[in-house]
Amino acid sequence: MIPLEHYLYLSGILFTLGLCGVMMRRNVILVLMSVEIMLNAANIALVAFSKYLSAGAAESVQLDGQVFVFFTIAVAAAEAAVALVIAMALFRRLDTVNVDDVANLRW
Amino acid sequence: MDTSQILNVFGIEMWLGVLALVLIVADLITGRGRLTGPADMVRLVAMGGLAVLLAYAFMLSPAEQASSWGTLDTFALFFKRFFIATALFTLLLSAPYEARFTGGRGEFPALVVFTTMGMCMLASVSDFVTLFVALELVTVTLFLLAAYRSGLPRSIEAGIKFVIIGAVAAAFLVYGIAFVYGTTGSLDFEGVRAALAATDEVPKGLTFGLLLVVVGLAFKLGAVPFHIWVPDVYQGAPTPVTAFLSVGSKAAGVVLLMRLVFTVLGPVAGQWATLLAGLAALSLLMGNLGAIPQKDMKRFLGYSGIAHAGFLLIAMAVQSEASASAVLFYMVAYLFANIAAFLVVIVVSRTPDNAHMDRINGLAERSPFLALALTVSMLSLAGVPPFAGFVGKFLILRAAVADPALLPVVILSLVMIVVSLYYYLCILKRMYFREPVDTGVLEITGSTRLILLVCVVASVVLGIYFNPLVVAAEKGAAALFG
């Protein structure tokens, strides 16, 4: 069995990559994709934890974490739908998907 | 798995969901996007439904036995009433604003009711899964509400900024929950609390996870350093939505943070006090100093909201029953002051459609009543006696001085009250001593008068005759320590 740490390293790396993507990407769509990577990093951690917590207790299988993943997937889909609607409104109204161009509200 | 058990706890939420669906159908039947008549009817139905549910929430008594689905204690009930009242005020506020929803306005009440449903669920959560789903119901609908005027660049800008930062905060929250689950093997609050109480040395993974969860919640509260979205979204969002955000969304953060800090973190509360006090100090500095140079009323109120988040965080750092009840009182005082302020902004910012501070210049000449309402609201926010805001600040600081470790933050907050007095009084100066920039006649409807009157009277009465609300707040807070 692959040790738990490996999964956590993977999820940690994905989470960091996603966060970097959010901060450095300028295209709204790519920023939203980076957020999805962050959420999926969390999902990997949840499933890995769920699996390894069950391995410890032989008589009871821990499914809470895996069930939670379904919730995050569903919620992330709803969130992405709303985010894309707003991104589309942005493109229609301001003719851009570059976050740097959306800076009229300041100070 | 007993459905009646779920309905015991989440009865109000179910009815809110039904109401929202009815509103969507009503909007479809009466003609989508039509701009007169029927849309008003949809709003009236929504307000009627919320009023009935508010009365229902006041009649409801807390459930005796805890259910694994959630808790319906006095604390949850207090906030459920608070959230429904806030939603009702938001819809009342949207009446004079509705003409500016050029892209259809039928969905607006339905979205507000859905958000309220999520908020009411948050008041009752007892596990991290429900917490996440309810919190996302609130945030996602608020994204839509912030960008509701999709024809207006600043509303879209507010929406896109809110979406990106909100989604990142959600990712932090889930990642944190994953680590809490991984180290304790439990997703419900009671299990995590037990795990924290069982060990002397808290595992690093658990602390890391809880830290990320607090980050996700601090975002909702609008506390530094997770406040960057606040000024922009407050300025760009439609004004009734800003009012809803400033009161409802902040209270959603407050209710979760209180549950987390006072119950889940109970066994290790001392270690978190420093962190919370630090966030409080930063929020007080950022909010109060940031508010001074503002030239837009809504942005100004956004910074003032960050400062108020600082005050609420002081109370969380104290972690006593007195401080918890002070938070409940503070939120109610904040509700009335903010609703009045935003309603005045709505009335004065009609044409041209912006909330620049010049618009309130000479308001006392144009409408003494509006000027009076904004005066009371500003003084209550500043914490001047005899208004409700003063009692709220007094209760928090009285609870805070009991803890000598928090003395620096208390002193800082006192200095910041003086700073805030300066910028709130600048608003009064604009109203009473400057020449008006606008000269048009202000349209003040009967309902506007009524809401302002309610807010003014409540701010004054709660400042003088505060005992009943203090008792109610103490009863609500006691449930957390039960």
Side-chain angles (χ1 to χ4, degrees):
Chain A
M1 206 150 126
I2 305 168
L4 176 61
E5 285 75 29
H6 288 51
Y7 289 107
L8 294 187
Y9 287 137
L10 173 67
S11 93
I13 290 168
L14 280 178
F15 194 83
T16 318
L17 279 177
L19 192 58
C20 291
V22 171
M23 291 190 289
M24 293 192 301
R25 288 287 180 180
R26 300 278 62 111
N27 185 318
V28 171
I29 308 295
L30 289 175
V31 170
L32 293 174
M33 282 170 69
S34 305
V35 175
E36 292 300 311
I37 294 178
M38 290 171 77
L39 280 167
N40 280 316
N43 286 347
I44 290 176
L46 272 169
V47 174
F49 278 131
S50 182
K51 174 82 181 152
Y52 280 82
L53 284 170
S54 321
E59 73 282 0
S60 66
V61 184
Q62 269 275 359
L63 285 178
D64 292 3
Q66 306 199 24
V67 173
F68 188 31
V69 169
F70 284 113
F71 280 99
T72 55
I73 291 172
V75 168
E79 200 171 56
V82 168
L84 289 175
V85 164
I86 296 174
M88 208 163 80
L90 177 75
F91 181 68
R92 281 212 192 128
R93 186 59 43 187
L94 299 172
D95 215 11
T96 180
V97 283
N98 188 327
V99 284
D100 285 340
D101 295 342
V102 196
N104 294 313
L105 299 174
R106 54 166 75 185
W107 288 111
Chain B
M1 196 170 293
D2 190 359
T3 20
S4 72
Q5 218 183 16
I6 305 178
L7 287 185
N8 263 344
V9 179
F10 292 120
I12 294 178
E13 287 78 357
M14 188 197 71
W15 287 113
L16 282 169
V18 170
L19 177 62
L21 293 176
V22 166
L23 293 175
I24 291 175
V25 175
D27 181 39
L28 280 172
I29 294 171
T30 54
R32 274 185 68 78
R34 217 182 294 165
L35 291 175
T36 50
D40 293 333
M41 198 201 75
V42 174
R43 183 166 48 75
L44 286 179
V45 171
M47 292 196 300
L50 284 175
V52 170
L53 282 172
L54 186 60
Y56 175 59
F58 269 105
M59 287 188 301
L60 219 56
S61 51
E64 273 90 47
Q65 83 276 32
S67 144
S68 58
W69 298 99
T71 46
L72 189 67
D73 47 16
T74 45
F75 177 73
L77 267 180
F78 185 95
F79 269 100
K80 278 180 210 247
R81 292 165 190 160
F82 182 88
F83 288 133
I84 298 175
T86 311
L88 199 53
F89 272 122
T90 307
L91 289 181
L92 285 165
L93 248 61
S94 74
Y97 194 88
E98 246 176 4
R100 286 177 247 182
F101 290 150
T102 44
R105 59 203 203 193
E107 302 91 345
F108 186 82
L111 283 170
V112 170
V113 173
F114 270 126
T115 317
T116 315
M117 180 187 169
M119 288 173 175
C120 287
M121 274 176 85
L122 284 178
S124 285
V125 292
S126 67
D127 66 271
F128 283 105
V129 182
T130 324
L131 182 156
F132 173 70
V133 174
L135 192 65
E136 287 306 288
L137 179 57
V138 174
T139 2
V140 171
T141 44
L142 282 177
F143 294 158
L144 285 171
L145 284 172
Y148 197 75
R149 291 179 73 185
S150 55
L152 191 71
R154 69 161 188 263
S155 182
I156 298 178
E157 179 172 342
I160 203 80
K161 284 179 173 169
F162 197 18
V163 161
I164 292 173
I165 299 179
V168 172
F172 273 105
L173 185 71
V174 184
Y175 202 59
I177 293 174
F179 275 84
V180 171
Y181 172 65
T183 42
T184 62
S186 172
L187 274 171
D188 58 84
F189 290 174
E190 208 38 60
V192 175
R193 183 194 165 91
L196 278 171
T199 54
D200 287 335
E201 194 156 335
V202 184
K204 282 204 177 60
L206 183 51
T207 311
F208 175 67
L210 288 171
L211 205 59
L212 289 186
V213 172
V214 170
V215 167
L217 299 185
F219 155 80
K220 285 253 72 128
L221 194 64
V224 175
F226 318 105
H227 67 286
I228 12 168
W229 61 278
V230 173
D232 286 358
V233 175
Y234 276 40
Q235 186 183 354
T239 315
V241 176
T242 312
F244 195 35
L245 267 174
S246 75
V247 182
S249 179
K250 194 178 293 291
V254 167
V255 72
L256 285 181
L257 213 52
M258 280 178 87
R259 272 243 190 262
L260 206 67
V261 169
F262 290 110
T263 62
V264 181
L265 294 178
V268 289
Q271 301 166 21
W272 288 79
T274 328
L275 174 81
L276 292 167
L279 292 183
L282 287 174
S283 304
L284 283 169
L285 277 170
M286 183 70 212
N288 285 308
L289 298 180
I292 295 172
Q294 295 312 321
K295 286 281 166 278
D296 183 285
M297 274 306 281
K298 283 153 78 182
R299 206 175 174 81
F300 163 78
L301 286 166
Y303 276 101
S304 126
I306 297 173
H308 288 284
F311 257 99
L312 297 167
L313 280 168
I314 295 181
M316 312 247 177
V318 184
Q319 292 160 340
S320 68
E321 218 168 313
S323 77
S325 67
V327 171
L328 302 196
F329 189 97
Y330 198 98
M331 286 311 298
V332 176
Y334 183 75
L335 164 77
F336 287 115
N338 255 20
I339 294 291
F342 281 110
L343 185 51
V344 172
V345 171
I346 287 175
V347 174
V348 298
S349 68
R350 186 154 303 172
T351 41
D353 187 6
N354 68 56
H356 195 279
M357 270 194 191
D358 288 347
R359 312 294 299 280
I360 60 160
N361 284 4
L363 190 63
E365 261 172 62
R366 299 173 69 205
S367 163
F369 180 62
L370 285 187
L372 172 76
L374 194 56
T375 305
V376 171
S377 149
M378 289 298 129
L379 292 180
S380 184
L381 285 175
V384 175
F387 299 109
F390 166 74
V391 184
K393 282 198 167 70
F394 175 77
L395 288 173
I396 288 187
L397 290 179
R398 193 183 63 176
V401 287
D403 188 347
L406 290 172
L407 199 61
V409 188
V410 172
I411 293 170
L412 176 72
S413 73
L414 288 173
V415 174
M416 285 302 148
I417 289 176
V418 177
V419 173
S420 75
L421 209 52
Y422 163 73
Y423 59 72
Y424 287 125
L425 290 180
C426 280
I427 301 280
L428 300 197
K429 189 180 90 184
R430 276 178 185 276
M431 285 194 296
Y432 288 97
F433 299 111
R434 294 255 178 103
E435 289 300 309
V437 173
D438 297 347
T439 46
V441 179
L442 292 167
E443 267 181 66
I444 310 171
T445 59
S447 69
T448 305
R449 265 177 214 284
L450 185 69
I451 307 167
L452 286 178
L453 199 63
V454 167
C455 291
V456 167
V457 169
S459 295
V460 175
V461 168
L462 290 178
I464 299 165
Y465 185 57
F466 44 79
N467 219 30
L469 182 60
V470 171
V471 171
E474 275 167 358
K475 245 170 80 184
L480 284 177
F481 297 86

